């Protein structure tokens, strides 16, 4: 039950003639009220005609009833308020303007023949343009709901007190007048702007429509009519576009697509949900940030996602669709990071990052980034890049991450240093590994949580890549001095897989080979970068000879793309190099994984060896062909 302050006022009888007289006397004011209440998203020309239609049809209820019951005057002494007929007609305008779908019904009726007045053929009728203040008010009214617009107009244009505004809104069918008044309080523009010529649909300027387009439409209509005559029989055939078809006509309004642009429909996850969630991935991330209730920021981010304009810088990892959301996405983060306001969404397939200047200056543009994260698990959903600036990279960490440290991959003996985090889980700035010339340092992030210490690194995308070691099919997190030293000589090869949609990079030491002439032992590694999309994986075979400096990168022996080698499906590797000894002699060195029974070379350098290691003298510049025989007798070629 509504409180007494929201109940409609008492009523007194008035005849139809009295209401008609009020309509004639106050027609410009009633049309202005209707124009201000209609959705500003509709073109100004359509709003003008619809506002006139609202005012002219406000007497329909009175004519149907024969004698209308109108509210008593709210405050004696004012002409428009003391007139019961005016109060009745104004309430009818409010009710019709706030009715759901009212503007659509008015447009449908205006298309019938003969046309229902008011209508204009061959002309565009527009109010006179206003200044910056009117434009700001128009934007604020567009962002507010219809009940809030009505409350603002009744306050500013009609001078009603809040209690009277609540009664009028309740009489017009508004479910929550208090909420409408609260939302109207957020409109900062002055009430004096409501009487501006910008919002006067009775003082109009006439302009012609787009004449060339009108001629093109006429020609198109003739062609369409001819096509309908030809295709009319097809439309009635079984299986055609009849009532039984599941697909809607083109350009139909899709409720799911409309809901995807509504900030109120965003999926928000509670802070402690991840503790008992059946899945530990991005779907369990809580909604965080200091602007999660900023409806304007969220609406702008969703609209830019759906329809990015020319001022939006868009990027996407390979194989990531950049289309609009298919439904209401999950809100991961909305807040201010540095000089930007950032919003992170997750729709099950992608993570989408929207960033704009903190002052929302449209001249500075915005950024929209897409990255695939489908199939993420606890190990691959530990962090996301929330900001990338000149100061460095900032991450938003998962709720189960208890500690964050920075480790330089090129300094395996150096202890990691802590990386501070905000209460929302946003880390401090970390230098971009690819910044600057050369490869003097490679900062990676250690995430502690979930019973593991995982190493991730930024490869120029929203989702950092996880670094692992071990044989294909059973990789594990990097641990121990030997694996850190192996990654120290591998890190500088990571730019080869940067910005490629990489999910994880595994480095596998598959063989160790004594060098000829007693020059120590070399290590053979296979480094494989897996992508989120499944295709486009990259494989690099390395030859790491002994070195006094642990950060010296290994020599690239072979590269491959979209190859199953060195992966869980084909867990083997074979590669070779032409190596020069310290004594000045050249050798062909090769090594295979444990599946190989023998190796051989041909094509200028002939040699073979039982087992999986090969060392054959060669000449400088030789380009031999290497292959091997597996233990099951099959022969395979080396990576190349």
């Amino acid at each position: 039950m509504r409180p007494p302050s929201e109940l409609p006022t008492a009523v007194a009888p008035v005849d139809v003639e009295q209401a008609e007289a009020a309509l004639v006397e106050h027609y410009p004011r009633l049309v202005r009220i209707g124009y201000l209440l209609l959705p500003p998203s509709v073109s100004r020309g359509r709003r003008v005609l619809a506002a006139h239609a609202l005012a002219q049809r406000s007497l329909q209820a009175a004519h149907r009833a024969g004698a209308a019951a109108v509210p008593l005057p709210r405050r004696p002494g004012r002409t428009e308020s003391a007139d019961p007929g005016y109060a009745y007609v104004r309430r009818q305008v409010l009710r019709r303007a706030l009715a759901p779908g009212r503007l659509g019904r008015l447009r449908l009726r205006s298309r019938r023949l003969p046309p229902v007045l008011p209508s204009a053929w061959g002309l565009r009728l527009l109010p006179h343009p206003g200044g910056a203040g009117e434009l700001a008010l128009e934007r604020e009214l567009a962002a507010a709901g219809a009940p809030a617009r009505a409350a603002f107009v009744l306050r500013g244009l009609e001078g009603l007190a809040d209690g009277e505004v609540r009664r009028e809104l309740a009489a017009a069918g508004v479910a929550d007048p208090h909420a409408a008044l609260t939302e109207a309080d957020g409109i900062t523009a002055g009430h004096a702007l409501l009487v501006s010529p910008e919002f006067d649909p009775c003082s109009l300027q006439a302009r012609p429509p787009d004449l060339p387009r009108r001629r093109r439409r006429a020609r198109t209509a003739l062609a369409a009519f001819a096509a309908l005559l030809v295709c009319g029989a097809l439309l009635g055939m079984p299986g055609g576009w009849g009532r039984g078809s599941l697909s809607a006509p083109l350009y139909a309004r899709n409720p799911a697509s409309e809901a995807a642009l509504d900030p109120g429909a965003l999926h928000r996850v509670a802070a402690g949900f991840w503790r008992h969630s059946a899945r530990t991935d991005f779907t369990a991330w809580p909604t965080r940030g200091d602007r999660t209730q900023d409806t304007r920021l969220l609406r702008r981010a969703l609209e830019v996602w759906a329809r990015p304009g020319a001022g939006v810088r868009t990027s996407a990892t390979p194989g990531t669709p950049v289309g609009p959301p298919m439904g209401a996405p999950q809100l991961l983060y909305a807040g201010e990071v540095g000089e930007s306001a950032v919003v992170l969404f997750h729709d099950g397939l992608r993570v989408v990052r929207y960033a704009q200047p903190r002052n929302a200056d449209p001249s500075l543009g915005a950024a929209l980034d897409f990255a695939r994260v489908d199939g993420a698990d606890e190990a691959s959903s530990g962090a996301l890049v929330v900001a990338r600036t000149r100061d460095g990279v900032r991450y938003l960490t998962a709720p189960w991450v208890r500690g964050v440290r920075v480790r330089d991959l090129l300094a395996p003996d150096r202890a990691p240093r802590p990386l501070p985090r905000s209460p929302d889980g946003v880390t401090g700035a970390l230098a971009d590994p690819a910044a600057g010339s050369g490869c003097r340092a490679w900062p990676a992030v250690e995430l502690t949580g979930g019973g593991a210490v995982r190493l991730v690194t930024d490869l120029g995308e929203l989702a950092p890549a996880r670094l692992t070691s071990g044989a294909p099919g059973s990789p594990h997190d990097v641990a121990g001095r030997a694996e850190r030293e192996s990654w120290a000589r591998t890190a500088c090869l990571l730019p080869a897989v940067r910005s490629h949609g990489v999910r994880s990079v595994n480095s596998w030491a598959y063989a160790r080979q004594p060098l000829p002439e007693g020059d120590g032992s070399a290590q053979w590694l296979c480094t494989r970068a897996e992508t989120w999309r499944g295709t486009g994986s990259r494989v690099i075979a390395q030859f790491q000879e002994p070195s006094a400096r642990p950060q010296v990168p290994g020599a690239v022996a072979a590269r491959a793309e979209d190859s199953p080698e060195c992966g869980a499906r084909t867990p083997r590797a074979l590669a070779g190099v032409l190596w020069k000894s310290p004594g000045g002699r050249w050798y062909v060195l090769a090594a295979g994984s444990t599946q190989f029974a023998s190796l051989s070379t041909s094509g200028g350098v002939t040699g073979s060896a039982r087992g999986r290691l090969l060392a054959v003298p060669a000449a400088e510049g030789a380009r031999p062909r290497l292959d091997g025989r597996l233990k099951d007798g099959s022969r395979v070629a080396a990576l190349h």
Side-chain angles (χ1 to χ4, degrees), residues 467-529:
L467 305 182
T468 59
S469 296
S474 58
H476 56 265
D477 292 301
V478 180
R481 180 186 180 119
E483 292 181 354
R484 288 198 295 269
E485 289 180 348
S486 174
W487 264 108
R489 304 189 64 181
T490 303
C492 289
L493 301 178
L494 287 174
V497 298
R498 183 177 172 86
S499 301
H500 196 64
V502 173
R503 174 174 181 164
S504 63
V505 184
N506 183 59
S507 186
W508 171 36
Y510 67 88
R512 180 173 290 274
Q513 182 178 24
L515 295 175
E517 305 178 15
D519 290 325
S521 296
Q523 187 172 228
W524 291 88
L525 291 93
C526 192
T527 303
R528 182 180 179 88

Side-chain angles (χ1 to χ4, degrees), residues 193-227:
L193 293 174
L194 293 173
V195 298
S196 169
E198 168 81 8
F199 309 113
D200 185 5
C202 290
S203 178
L204 304 171
Q205 54 182 350
R207 294 290 184 270
D210 189 341
L211 298 178
R213 184 172 64 177
R214 188 167 66 180
R215 288 194 295 270
R216 289 194 299 269
R217 285 181 174 177
R219 292 194 295 266
T220 303
L222 291 175
F225 181 74

Side-chain angles (χ1 to χ4, degrees), residues 12-27 30 55 58-59 62 68-73 79-93:
V14 66
D15 56 17
V16 176
E17 287 75 15
Q18 189 175 356
E20 290 178 345
L23 174 62
V24 173
E25 181 180 359
H26 303 292
Y27 184 85
L30 293 168
S58 61
L59 295 178
V70 302
L72 288 173
T79 304
E80 64 271 20
S81 300
D83 184 3
Y86 172 77
Y88 171 81
V89 176
R90 183 184 63 194
R91 183 171 290 181
Q92 294 300 316
V93 171

Side-chain angles (χ1 to χ4, degrees), residues 256-634:
S257 299
E258 292 180 353
L261 301 180
D262 180 11
L266 288 171
H267 180 51
R268 300 168 185 262
V269 177
F273 174 75
W274 64 274
R275 300 181 185 277
H276 54 82
S277 171
R279 296 167 53 179
T280 309
D281 53 17
F282 291 113
T283 62
W285 275 35
T287 300
R288 290 173 285 180
D290 55 2
R291 298 185 66 174
T292 56
Q293 303 301 323
D294 190 337
T295 303
R296 294 185 181 180
L297 173 63
L298 298 178
R299 179 178 287 109
R300 189 180 302 115
L302 291 169
E303 289 176 350
V304 170
W305 180 2
R307 298 179 300 276
V312 179
R313 301 179 299 277
T314 303
S315 69
T317 58
T320 303
V322 295
M326 296 296 101
Q330 177 185 354
L331 177 61
L332 300 179
Y333 180 84
E336 295 183 355
V337 183
E339 298 300 321
S340 300
V342 179
V343 183
L344 282 175
F345 299 108
H346 176 239
D347 68 353
L349 172 67
R350 303 164 293 179
V351 166
V352 181
R353 174 182 174 271
Y354 170 80
Q356 68 175 35
R358 293 177 64 176
N359 61 0
D361 185 355
S363 65
L364 299 179
L368 191 63
D369 304 311
F370 297 85
R372 282 187 65 167
V373 292
D374 48 317
D377 54 14
E378 181 178 356
S380 55
S381 60
L384 289 173
V385 172
V386 70
R388 193 187 304 277
T389 63
R390 287 173 295 182
D391 298 334
V393 181
R394 298 178 188 268
Y395 296 91
L396 177 66
T397 57
W400 53 83
V401 173
R402 300 193 308 272
V404 183
R405 299 187 298 179
V406 180
R407 180 181 290 278
D408 185 1
L409 293 183
L410 302 188
D413 295 329
R414 188 182 304 166
R417 60 178 176 85
L419 183 63
R421 285 190 299 170
S422 70
D424 285 336
V426 177
T427 69
L430 181 66
D432 187 346
S437 58
C439 186
R440 299 180 178 86
W442 194 281
V445 179
E446 275 189 354
L447 304 175
T448 303
V453 178
R454 297 186 172 92
L455 194 63
V456 299
T457 188
D458 174 37
L459 292 180
E461 296 161 354
L462 288 180
R466 180 190 177 198
L467 305 182
T468 59
S469 296
S474 58
H476 56 265
D477 292 301
V478 180
R481 180 186 180 119
E483 292 181 354
R484 288 198 295 269
E485 289 180 348
S486 174
W487 264 108
R489 304 189 64 181
T490 303
C492 289
L493 301 178
L494 287 174
V497 298
R498 183 177 172 86
S499 301
H500 196 64
V502 173
R503 174 174 181 164
S504 63
V505 184
N506 183 59
S507 186
W508 171 36
Y510 67 88
R512 180 173 290 274
Q513 182 178 24
L515 295 175
E517 305 178 15
D519 290 325
S521 296
Q523 187 172 228
W524 291 88
L525 291 93
C526 192
T527 303
R528 182 180 179 88
E530 297 283 1
T531 66
W532 286 96
R533 63 189 182 278
T535 60
S537 60
R538 295 191 175 184
V539 178
I540 301 176
Q542 294 181 64
F543 174 74
Q544 294 182 355
E545 58 180 318
S547 174
R549 294 184 299 165
Q551 69 273 19
V552 174
V556 176
R559 298 177 187 267
E561 186 169 350
D562 261 337
S563 171
E565 302 287 330
C566 198
R569 183 177 178 183
T570 308
R572 63 171 185 256
L574 172 61
V577 294
L578 187 64
W579 177 76
K580 184 180 181 180
S581 71
R585 299 178 183 86
W586 290 90
Y587 295 87
V588 171
L589 303 182
S593 52
T594 56
Q595 296 90 340
F596 286 89
S598 63
L599 305 178
S600 60
T601 62
S602 59
V605 178
T606 303
S608 63
R610 289 186 176 274
R612 60 193 184 102
L613 301 176
L614 173 71
V616 179
E620 181 179 0
R623 301 178 64 87
R625 185 172 61 253
L626 173 68
D627 59 19
R629 188 177 297 277
L630 301 177
K631 293 179 180 179
D632 62 4
S634 58

